[in-house]
Amino acid sequence: MSLNTPLELPCGVTLSNRIAKAALSEQLAHRGRPTSGLRRLYGAWAAGGAGMLLTGNVMVDRRFLESHMNVIIDDESEPARFAAWAAEGSSETTALWMQINHPGRQTPRHIHATPVAPSAVEPVRLFRKAGAFGRPRALDAGEISEIVERFARAASFAKAAGFQGVQIHGAHGYLASQFLSPLTNQRGDRWGGTLTNRYRFLEAVIGAVRDAVGSGFPVSVKLNSADFQRGGFDEAESLQVVQWLARDSVDLIEISGGSYESAAMFDMADSTRRREAYFLEFAREARSQVDTPLMVTGGFRKRSVMEEALAGGALDVIGMGRPFTNNPNVARDLIEGRVDRADEAIESIPIHRVRTTSSAMMSVVQMAMLSKGMNPRPKYGAPHALALLGWGLLKTARGN
């Protein structure tokens, strides 16, 4: 099996190849609206040869955001702007899917001082420090049902605008992930307690989204293999959820892991890092239990490793994020053999935590460059990133 092998999803839709751009927080919206810069960014990626592009967080509630530069779908959204984004971000060979999400307690304090969560637990501690996030309050049953409906409306809106699939974000410590974790879901009603009850929110969202978009439209879920927090959502529970997702007619399950409080997507051990695909072992176990197509995101860089993983049958789609900001044509270059490795921007800071943060910042800067029609600067390091951000590149990139 090659990177260029098509993949037919359970809903009947076919992806043209096995490379997908995973979701990245683009930071290019303006007052919740997709901008000309965001469209230009996705136009560059749509021309780059990937079988599928996933948008970054599109939020379902204007009050609760991951960033004030998130795209939002609500009653104020303008369909024409989203239709233009969908048209520019897709091609004959590249499908554009929208990732829909609610941050729950991972809403920064400057956006909302009192975020919501399954339970009134402690505030998020970013890098083990408190202050950036407020103490959440527990959602009541009526609010939970309202959020489920918001996901369904967002999915219906995305389909009407011309997006070719949706992904429900159930990982990285956002609201659906919070419901799954016993650390953040301490409810005593039908929404908490046993894993069956903790899955009920995600199950309700999937059902409402499927009812809204129909059986022939791709619906994906991004799921943590584990939270990597003691007493949290673990691998055994995640494998059970994978089986339920297959039962509930999900078309593609993306495997990732971690949250703001345990950034496993960055902090894997060296031995795992050398294997390149951080979550591949979990995917192999999941594959032994379900036939639903699996996408693994995290660590893939060498073409030979990607092809070996696909040939072994553990996964069906290779997910990458930052290499697309370094080279928008990376999918085609890999498929056609022009490169053997998907590189990301050079990072020169030796301190691990700072290196991790500044590497993410470099990706934001590279996306801002692409959104302005500029070529990315792969050799820029963190000092350049800080300088560009200081000059207001992101602000001017947003456009109208």
Side-chain angles (χ1 to χ4, degrees):
M1 182 184 300
S2 73
L3 294 172
N4 206 30
T5 303
L7 173 65
E8 184 177 356
L9 301 174
C11 65
V13 169
T14 298
L15 300 180
S16 66
N17 63 61
R18 301 305 178 98
I19 297 180
K21 184 204 78 66
L24 295 165
S25 187
E26 310 96 348
Q27 304 292 300
L28 289 168
H30 180 62
R31 296 181 179 175
R33 301 178 301 182
T35 59
S36 58
L38 190 62
R39 297 196 301 271
R40 194 175 296 115
L41 171 64
Y42 276 86
W45 282 334
M52 185 259 285
L53 306 174
L54 272 163
T55 73
N57 285 319
V58 174
M59 293 300 179
V60 302
D61 190 330
R62 188 173 296 273
R63 297 168 297 175
F64 304 104
L65 309 174
E66 168 255 341
S67 163
H68 70 276
M69 290 182 282
N70 289 147
V71 176
I72 304 164
I73 291 180
D74 62 8
D75 292 340
E76 299 178 31
S77 299
E78 303 167 61
R81 286 182 177 270
F82 286 83
W85 182 17
E88 196 158 348
S90 58
S91 68
E92 290 185 4
T93 57
T94 300
L96 179 59
W97 292 14
M98 180 186 288
Q99 184 187 79
I100 52 178
N101 192 13
H102 189 299
R105 69 193 278 262
Q106 290 184 173
T107 301
R109 185 188 296 273
H110 70 271
I111 291 175
H112 203 296
T114 307
V116 294
S119 301
V121 294
E122 291 296 310
V124 172
R125 298 177 68 87
L126 188 61
F127 299 150
R128 300 182 181 179
K129 294 183 179 180
F133 301 87
R135 182 181 296 273
R137 66 170 179 82
L139 290 160
D140 65 36
E143 289 174 313
I144 293 173
S145 297
E146 179 194 349
I147 293 172
V148 169
E149 181 55 31
R150 284 179 180 271
F151 273 93
R153 290 200 301 267
S156 179
F157 187 100
K159 180 181 179 182
F163 289 82
Q164 294 155 294
V166 293
Q167 182 183 76
I168 300 160
H169 203 328
H172 296 175
Y174 293 114
L175 185 61
S177 180
Q178 292 162 32
F179 268 94
L180 289 171
S181 172
L183 291 178
T184 48
N185 184 350
Q186 300 172 8
R187 302 176 70 94
D189 61 6
R190 63 192 296 267
W191 301 102
T194 65
L195 181 59
T196 299
N197 283 357
R198 285 184 275 126
Y199 175 68
R200 195 182 304 277
F201 175 78
L202 182 55
E203 180 182 29
V205 171
I206 294 167
V209 166
R210 179 59 77 193
D211 287 345
V213 299
S215 60
F217 190 77
V219 175
S220 170
V221 169
K222 187 167 190 171
L223 180 72
N224 276 356
S225 58
D227 290 344
F228 302 100
Q229 291 179 273
R230 182 173 297 178
F233 183 67
D234 61 26
E235 290 191 12
E237 290 186 325
S238 186
L239 286 169
Q240 177 60 72
V241 170
V242 165
Q243 295 180 56
W244 289 337
L245 294 176
R247 176 201 68 191
D248 292 336
S249 301
V250 168
D251 295 296
L252 179 69
I253 302 170
E254 181 183 359
I255 303 299
S256 191
S259 68
Y260 284 14
E261 295 173 292
S262 178
M265 64 287 293
F266 302 128
D267 293 344
M268 304 304 285
D270 287 343
S271 60
T272 307
R273 199 179 287 277
R274 285 196 294 271
R275 289 202 301 270
E276 287 208 293
Y278 300 157
F279 308 113
L280 186 56
E281 291 300 325
F282 178 86
R284 289 194 178 101
E285 182 64 27
R287 170 57 75 232
S288 71
Q289 301 185 31
V290 301
D291 294 328
T292 301
L294 300 176
M295 170 177 165
V296 173
T297 298
F300 281 115
R301 294 297 181 263
K302 292 182 181 178
R303 176 158 51 90
S304 59
V305 173
M306 299 177 194
E307 291 174 339
E308 181 181 348
L310 287 168
L315 56 90
D316 304 279
V317 178
I318 302 292
M320 295 185 293
R322 292 178 188 173
F324 279 88
T325 72
N326 189 64
N327 173 14
N329 299 308
V330 64
R332 180 174 292 112
D333 287 346
L334 286 166
I335 288 170
E336 297 181 359
R338 282 192 289 273
V339 299
D340 294 320
R341 182 180 177 85
D343 290 321
E344 58 184 284
I346 293 174
E347 188 42 66
S348 57
I349 296 179
I351 303 171
H352 177 68
R353 279 294 188 190
V354 178
R355 183 174 68 241
T356 296
T357 304
S358 60
S359 179
M361 182 169 54
M362 265 310 306
S363 294
V364 173
V365 170
Q366 301 284 36
M367 287 188 283
M369 290 177 173
L370 289 166
S371 77
K372 290 174 66 67
M374 301 165 61
N375 292 324
R377 304 289 197 273
K379 295 182 179 181
Y380 275 13
H384 291 87
L386 288 168
L388 287 168
L389 288 172
W391 292 337
L393 175 62
L394 293 182
K395 182 177 180 180
T396 59
R398 290 175 207 148
N400 296 313

